[in-house]
Amino acid sequence: MTHKPTILLTGGAGYIGSHTYVALVEAGFAPIILDDFSNSSPVVLERLQRICGQAVVCQRGSVADVALVQSLLERHQVAAVVHFAGFKAVGESVAQPLKYYANNLGGMVALLQAMDAAPCRTLVFSSSATVYGDPVRVPITEDFARSHTNPYGHTKLVCEDILASMRNANAALRTGVLRYFNPVGAHPSGLIGEDPLGEPNNLMPYVAQVAVGKREFLNVYGNNYPTPDGTGVRDYIHVQDLAQAHVAALQTLLRGQPSFTVNVGTGQGHSVLEVVHAFEQASQRPVPYRVAPRRAGDVASCYADPTLAQHLLGWRATRSLADMCTDTWRWQSANPNGYKKG
Ligand code: UD1
C-alpha cells in the first residue's frame, strides 16, 4: 500500500473543514483534525466517520497552542497544514475587534511558529473575497487592489501579508492562499452541512431556515442596487467544489509547484432573488421575503474570475445553484436544528 500523506486541518470540524476532510479521504490523503469546538460540534466527528467508514483522528485544542501543534506535526509526520480555524462573523468583528485580531492573527502566528519548529513547510490558507473590499469592477482577478471594511476582513488581509513575509524569509515555505467567494451547500449525504450559531448572518442558511419553518421571512437587504433585479449579486460556490479546490491546492504544492494565491469561485453571479427562487424550486417550500434597507458594508456585485485557479490547480467548480440549493435543503430538512439533538 502506498503511503498516505497526513494533512492537519485546523478548524477541521467546521463547515468547510469537515467537507474538505471527506474530499481528502476520497483523494487518498490521511487528514487529521485540530479543533477547539468554539464554533463547531463534536457530532461532526461521528458524521465524518459514517461518511468515510473509518475512525477520525481529532485533537481537541487551540491552534494558538504552539507546543500542542508542534507535537501534532511531529507525531503524525504531517506533510501539509490547511488552516481553516478562525472567526468569521463580520458584525461581531466590528463589535469585538480584539477577539478577531487575537484569534485570527494570533492563531496564524502560532501555527507558523509550530510549523517552523517541526518543521513543516506546506500550508493552505482560507482567505476570502472580503480582501477585495468594494471591487472597482467584476469579475475580480487576483491582481485587484486589496482593502478591508471591517476587522474580520482586516485579519484575512494581514494573514495574507504575514504569509508573504514568511515566504520572503524562508524560501522553503510554500503556501496556497485560497480566496473563497460565497461557500454554500452541503455534502449530498445530508450528514454534514453549515450549522450557524444563533441567527444566521449569511443568505443561504437564512433562506434554508425560512423554508424549514424556523424563521418567518427573509429580509432582502436592498432592491435598488445597480444589478439586473436590484438585489445583491454574489458568486455562490458549492462547498463540495470548494473542498475539491483544497485537494487540488495540496496536490499542487506537494508536487513541488510554487506558492500561489487564487480566487475560488464559479465565475457566475446570482442575485438574492435568484437564490430565493432556486431554493423554492429545490425545496418545494415557499420562502417569503420582505425588502429591507441595505446592510451596511454590502457591495452591489461580487464575483470571481476563476481562470487562474483552473490554470494553476487544474480545478474548476462544476456544481450549479440548483445543486447548492438541493444539497442545502437535504441537510436542513434532515437536521432542522443542525447538529443539536431534537
Ligand atoms: C459575507 C461577509 C463577508 C464574508 C462572507 C463569509 C458582509 C458584509 N460580508 O459576505 O465579509 O467573507 O459573508 O461567508 O457581511 N442578504 C440578504 N438577507 C440576509 C442575508 C444576506 O438579503 O438575511 C444578501 C446580502 O445583502 C448579499 C447577499 O445576500 O447581497 C449575500 O450575503 P451574505 O451571505 O451575508 O454574504 P456576503 O455579504 O457576500
Side-chain angles (χ1 to χ4, degrees):
M1 213 175 99
T2 52
H3 170 69
K4 294 183 174 183
T6 301
I7 311 294
L8 175 65
L9 309 182
T10 74
Y15 172 45
I16 299 166
S18 57
H19 289 80
T20 301
Y21 179 96
V22 176
L24 284 170
V25 170
E26 286 170 353
F29 289 92
I32 62 173
I33 292 174
L34 171 68
D35 206 297
D36 66 1
F37 298 101
S38 60
N39 190 26
S40 58
S41 165
V43 176
V44 170
L45 306 177
E46 301 161 21
R47 304 286 177 91
L48 290 177
Q49 186 162 338
R50 272 172 71 185
I51 294 170
C52 299
Q54 61 182 55
V56 175
V57 178
C58 176
Q59 170 74 51
R60 182 188 279 261
S62 169
V63 68
D65 184 339
V66 179
L68 174 71
V69 176
Q70 184 183 341
S71 82
L72 272 176
L73 295 173
E74 290 172 350
R75 198 153 23 99
H76 295 277
Q77 297 184 331
V78 170
V81 178
V82 186
H83 183 38
F84 298 103
F87 295 148
K88 60 169 187 178
V90 173
E92 184 185 57
S93 81
V94 174
Q96 299 178 61
L98 285 181
K99 179 174 173 181
Y100 277 68
Y101 290 118
N103 187 62
N104 293 6
L105 301 185
M108 174 60 98
V109 170
L111 172 61
L112 288 167
Q113 287 172 325
M115 288 180 65
D116 204 34
C120 174
R121 305 273 186 244
T122 307
L123 174 65
V124 172
F125 173 59
S126 305
S127 190
S128 166
T130 194
V131 299
Y132 296 116
D134 192 350
V136 285
R137 59 180 185 278
V138 281
I140 298 168
T141 48
E142 289 81 356
D143 55 356
F144 274 31
R146 296 176 311 151
S147 66
H148 58 88
T149 53
N150 55 70
Y152 157 74
H154 196 191
T155 66
K156 290 294 179 190
L157 201 152
V158 174
C159 280
E160 288 194 357
D161 290 344
I162 292 172
L163 291 180
S165 304
M166 291 297 292
R167 285 192 304 268
N168 195 34
N170 179 357
L173 179 69
R174 268 160 330 102
T175 66
V177 173
L178 303 183
R179 292 180 177 156
Y180 306 163
F181 279 67
N182 289 63
V184 298
H187 189 266
S189 64
L191 287 169
I192 56 173
E194 187 171 14
D195 182 17
L197 282 176
E199 188 172 340
N201 299 306
N202 298 117
L203 178 65
M204 188 66 91
Y206 207 104
V207 166
Q209 292 194 5
V210 173
V212 85
K214 280 188 77 174
R215 300 190 187 272
E216 215 183 321
F217 60 88
L218 170 75
N219 283 304
V220 174
Y221 296 138
N223 67 349
N224 56 359
Y225 283 106
T227 60
D229 66 17
T231 65
V233 166
R234 296 291 183 276
D235 187 338
Y236 298 97
I237 174 167
H238 198 299
V239 66
Q240 296 275 98
D241 280 328
L242 180 54
Q244 275 159 5
H246 292 78
V247 174
L250 285 164
Q251 287 169 336
T252 302
L253 292 171
L254 293 173
R255 260 203 318 270
Q257 298 296 307
S259 297
F260 54 82
T261 297
V262 295
N263 289 337
V264 185
T266 66
Q268 173 124 41
H270 291 290
S271 74
V272 175
L273 293 183
E274 278 183 86
V275 171
V276 167
H277 295 136
F279 207 93
E280 289 183 322
Q281 276 287 320
S283 64
Q284 292 296 304
R285 298 280 183 100
V287 178
Y289 66 86
R290 293 182 192 167
V291 175
R294 290 181 178 191
R295 184 172 65 179
D298 271 355
V299 302
S301 195
C302 176
Y303 55 92
D305 178 337
T307 313
L308 189 64
Q310 181 158 8
H311 177 66
L312 292 180
L313 313 182
W315 168 91
R316 69 182 179 84
T318 59
R319 292 161 177 87
S320 67
L321 180 61
D323 298 329
M324 302 177 209
C325 294
T326 300
D327 290 332
T328 301
W329 177 243
R330 192 179 296 110
W331 153 254
Q332 179 71 59
S333 50
N335 306 270
N337 297 311
Y339 292 110
K340 288 172 285 300
K341 296 213 162 59

